[in-house]
Amino acid sequence: MAAVFYISSAVAVVATLLTITCRNAIHALLYLIVSLLAVAIDFFVMGAPFVAALELIIYAGAIMVLFIFVVMMLNMGEHAGETALDVFKPRAWAGPSLLALVLLAEIAALVSRQSAPLSGVEISSKQVGVALFGPYVIGVELASLLLTAGLLGAYHLGRKAVTREDEVHGIDTRQSRAVTGDPVVSAGAGRSSHAA
Amino acid sequence: MFLLGLAGLLTRRNLIFTLMCVEVMLNASGLAFVAAGSRWGQVDGQVMFLFIVAMAAAEVSVGLAMVLQFHREHPTLDSDAGDEMRG
């Protein structure tokens, strides 16, 4: 068990190092996902299976999907076409898949040999739940409040950006019509603003 | 790992990478909490990790929305381009 713990810790550190040194955002995200998987295996070995599952579901599932959506929306400048082709080259996915294969071998070793956790004590999810809704119930309420505030803040920021973009487009067409006295251009601008 | 995230935060100037390094730092602190909790057989470390995860989710959603808005104002993701902000 100790060997599995140290190997996955080393994988996590290496993947994090490659995350912050990678130039491409998508490659860095791949290494970050591998790092999160390694940390999840660390949690499992340390006798915290509930937290390991949460790490997989929330971090590697939800938060990484958010990151990938934003990177795809921003499209990362004019190199978008090159990177879309680069994804299919083995240089892009060889490193993360190698580290992920190491983690897979560790999981296979863990499943094949049923062994005790590293510290000897395994804290089940029932104990965590009892503690969460016993002495920490104020913290649970505060976390729910924080999540609601985050949801509202993200919605507000996204909606305000969209309306401002519409205003900017309207001002652009009006300015172009005012500056150029050419009737053809003004007719085109009027048509575009009418279409908008 | 916390030091790696901090170094990345200080060196990189890309906003996406800054957010990813903040994630790494939060993850490292959560790992320290769970390790301490399992070392002494206490549940409190895992409870603290749950709170850290909730906070990271809220922080990332707001942060990425702010990144999108920043990208609409400036066509770059360089955080030095946002230095014209005046109070």
Side-chain angles (χ1 to χ4, degrees):
Chain A
M1 287 303 261
V4 171
F5 176 77
Y6 285 123
I7 290 174
S8 59
S9 298
V11 167
V13 169
V14 168
T16 310
L17 196 61
L18 287 170
T19 299
I20 66 173
T21 54
C22 217
R23 297 198 63 84
N24 196 335
I26 287 288
H27 299 175
L29 276 174
L30 283 178
Y31 280 118
L32 188 55
I33 289 173
V34 172
S35 165
L36 292 176
L37 294 182
V39 171
I41 288 184
D42 266 354
F43 285 154
F44 187 74
V45 170
M46 282 192 298
F50 180 58
V51 165
L54 272 185
E55 169 102 8
L56 282 185
I57 293 171
I58 296 181
Y59 260 117
I63 296 182
M64 285 305 116
V65 164
L66 268 183
F67 268 109
I68 288 174
F69 267 145
V70 170
V71 169
M72 284 168 68
M73 277 176 73
L74 295 185
N75 223 351
M76 279 302 167
E78 66 272 12
H79 303 293
E82 304 173 13
T83 56
L85 289 179
D86 275 346
V87 168
F88 299 109
K89 290 177 184 170
R91 186 175 53 83
W93 48 264
S97 57
L98 185 67
L99 292 176
L101 277 180
V102 172
L103 294 180
L104 184 65
E106 283 183 345
I107 290 177
L110 278 178
V111 169
S112 64
R113 289 177 301 156
Q114 284 287 336
S115 49
L118 199 61
S119 64
V121 192
E122 179 168 342
I123 298 172
S124 67
S125 58
K126 185 180 175 185
Q127 286 173 279
V128 176
V130 167
L132 204 58
F133 285 97
Y136 285 103
V137 68
I138 294 293
V140 173
E141 296 298 327
L142 282 178
S144 67
L145 198 64
L146 178 69
L147 283 177
T148 311
L151 175 69
L152 284 180
Y155 172 69
H156 179 67
L157 284 174
R159 196 185 51 140
K160 199 167 66 178
V162 168
T163 55
R164 182 177 302 165
E165 194 176 8
D166 288 346
E167 287 174 6
V168 165
H169 281 299
I171 288 172
D172 279 346
T173 50
R174 255 177 272 136
Q175 276 178 351
S176 67
R177 214 179 342 177
V179 167
T180 60
D182 197 5
V184 177
V185 175
S186 63
R191 194 183 305 149
S192 73
S193 73
H194 186 260
Chain B
M1 268 183 78
F2 186 84
L3 288 181
L4 276 180
L6 191 60
L9 184 66
L10 290 180
T11 53
R12 294 309 292 261
R13 279 289 169 268
N14 198 323
L15 280 177
I16 293 283
F17 282 95
T18 308
L19 276 180
M20 286 201 303
C21 291
V22 170
E23 284 302 298
V24 168
M25 287 162 65
L26 285 174
N27 205 11
S29 59
L31 178 63
F33 266 119
V34 173
S38 82
R39 166 67 179 79
W40 284 285
Q42 295 291 318
V43 198
D44 304 341
Q46 301 194 21
V47 175
M48 281 302 153
F49 179 76
L50 291 186
F51 292 154
I52 287 177
V53 164
M55 195 197 66
E59 174 257 339
V60 157
S61 59
V62 177
L64 285 177
M66 287 176 74
V67 164
L68 282 180
Q69 200 183 11
F70 183 82
H71 186 259
R72 289 204 181 93
E73 307 238 339
H74 313 278
T76 176
L77 278 181
D78 200 347
S79 61
D80 287 336
D83 60 351
E84 75 270 11
M85 186 187 293
R86 296 282 182 265

